[in-house]
Amino acid sequence: MKAGYFDLKEVHNSLSGTPQGSGLSPILANIYLNTFDQYVEELSKQYRKGNKRQTNPPYQKLYGKRRIARKRGNKQEAKQILKQLLTLPSRKPMDESFIRVNYVRFADDFLVCIMGSRAMACEIKEKLTVFMKQNLKLELNQEKTSITNLSKKRVRFLGYELTKNRCNTKLSLDKRGYKRRSINGRIELLVPGQVIRDKLKPFRKGSKPYPCKDRSILSVKEIIETYNAEIRGLYDYYCLAVDVSKKLGMFKYFHYGSMLKTIAGKLRSSVNSVVCGYGVVVPRKRCSGSKRVVGVQYETKAGLRTLTYFDKSLVRVEFPSVGVADWFGQPLAGKQLMARFRSNRCELCGSVEGVVVHHVRKLKAFKQKYGRGVGEVPPLWVLAMLKSHRKTLVVCRRCHAVIHVSGNDSLF
């Protein structure tokens, strides 16, 4: 932080530390806050209590009455009792014998998720404040640091909104074939509405799409590429949100209309003329038939290619599409296991010091363990398996030992 920097072979002193948003900030934050991470992890273990919530006595009482009614053939009574059951939680909402504390951090932003009382949350916040001040000489921003009940209010974190879902009418079958409430208590990621409204300001005027006149100086191909980069970047970031289809679907409507009007303004023609002149027939994603999307054809070394407006389905994905191998700049080895093994390259770290095959029984177990909850962050090797859609992973002996020692081998 005090080393300074070179500019045209001249040394300049550091006056204000690392600039906000620079590529070096997250790295320095990870190094400096590593002690804080270890402290919070130990703190979460101290508060952890119990294996599961206790059953709710009023719910169990009604459940027993319903079973008796069904055995006696009183279907109408059993139906009325079921309506009452759906208004009660099956487990105690505030069970003092079951406590969980989970922690996640990115650079200098962190989130502590507590399954417990508000008094416990205040106590943990005070301990974190004291630790950061005494050990790291840092102070929490009291304006941004708050205690929030997810059942009543949403929380902003890294551009997403976090909420706890509750719906007594959404039912699904469990392993035994019984109907259960499937989304109650589930932590979900949402696209903030304010983000979409801010992004739409250059492309919407009132209730209609509006052209970007400053882009008229670009060629038609460059206009399409510019609009594609905007919506692709927005979708790639918010593809984990449960409402990404609805929120980005609205954005896509105005965004695409803005692109059509921008091209029409450049060519001094109508929107219909642009669609007829530059329309490319592409198959529909969710049903049979085809549609016309504005695009252009251009020459490359590989031959003639077609560039169209972003035509990917705006659907939610369970895990990020970027896997570990992408981060290291190396694609996963061939699809066949023996070909991957003969390549003698670790699919996690890329080393060539001898490899072994790590395997699991079911990939479905990953989604059950890591698919819900804020604190359940998939390890790197899990993301690599999900990316390749295979139950095997060719890794070096060092990475293989780390996988087993880390305690994440309970799925085998």
Side-chain angles (χ1 to χ4, degrees), residues 26 28 42 48 58 79 100 141 144 173 187 237 242 262 280 287 305 328 341 353 373-374 393:
L28 293 176
E42 289 296 326
R48 185 183 180 92
K79 188 176 180 179
R100 290 291 184 273
N141 189 331
K144 296 182 179 180
L173 297 177
I187 306 298
Y237 189 79
V242 295
T262 302
V280 178
C287 57
R305 290 193 175 183
F328 286 95
F341 185 77
E353 300 176 354
V374 177
L393 193 66

Side-chain angles (χ1 to χ4, degrees), residues 184-330:
N184 271 4
R186 180 186 296 180
I187 306 298
E188 293 183 340
L189 300 176
L190 303 175
V191 181
Q194 188 60 42
V195 171
I196 300 299
R197 288 191 290 270
D198 292 342
K199 294 288 185 181
L200 276 176
K201 285 181 179 179
F203 313 113
R204 182 177 68 173
K205 193 171 185 179
S207 60
K208 294 183 179 180
Y210 187 75
C212 290
K213 298 180 181 179
D214 57 337
R215 297 181 183 180
S216 300
I217 60 175
L218 303 176
S219 65
V220 175
K221 178 175 177 292
E222 290 174 336
I223 292 175
I224 297 176
E225 288 176 340
T226 303
Y227 277 88
N228 275 357
E230 290 171 343
I231 188 171
R232 185 182 295 111
L234 197 62
Y235 172 69
D236 286 345
Y237 189 79
Y238 286 109
C239 62
L240 301 175
V242 295
D243 60 345
V244 63
S245 179
K246 179 181 178 180
K247 297 284 182 63
L248 263 68
M250 181 186 68
F251 176 83
K252 185 178 180 180
Y253 169 78
F254 289 100
H255 195 247
Y256 181 60
S258 172
M259 187 192 74
L260 293 179
K261 290 188 175 183
T262 302
I263 297 176
K266 174 182 177 61
L267 302 177
R268 296 182 180 180
S269 63
S270 64
V271 172
N272 289 335
S273 300
V274 171
V275 175
C276 293
Y278 289 90
V280 178
V281 178
V282 296
R284 295 185 179 274
K285 300 293 183 181
R286 299 186 178 180
C287 57
S288 59
S290 60
K291 61 180 180 179
R292 295 179 70 86
V293 180
V294 171
V296 293
Q297 291 184 337
Y298 59 98
E299 288 285 347
T300 63
K301 293 182 179 179
L304 191 65
R305 290 193 175 183
T306 303
L307 172 68
T308 64
Y309 180 75
F310 183 83
D311 193 40
K312 189 176 180 180
S313 298
L314 299 174
V315 295
R316 175 181 178 263
V317 297
E318 192 74 22
F319 294 98
S321 59
V322 179
V324 177
D326 293 334
W327 299 341
F328 286 95
Q330 302 166 350

Side-chain angles (χ1 to χ4, degrees), residues 114 117-126 144-150 153 155:
I114 301 170
S117 63
R118 183 177 180 85
M120 181 189 302
C122 295
E123 180 181 337
I124 292 176
K125 179 184 176 182
E126 183 64 26
K144 296 182 179 180
T145 307
S146 60
I147 298 175
T148 307
N149 187 342
L150 279 182
K153 187 178 179 181
V155 172

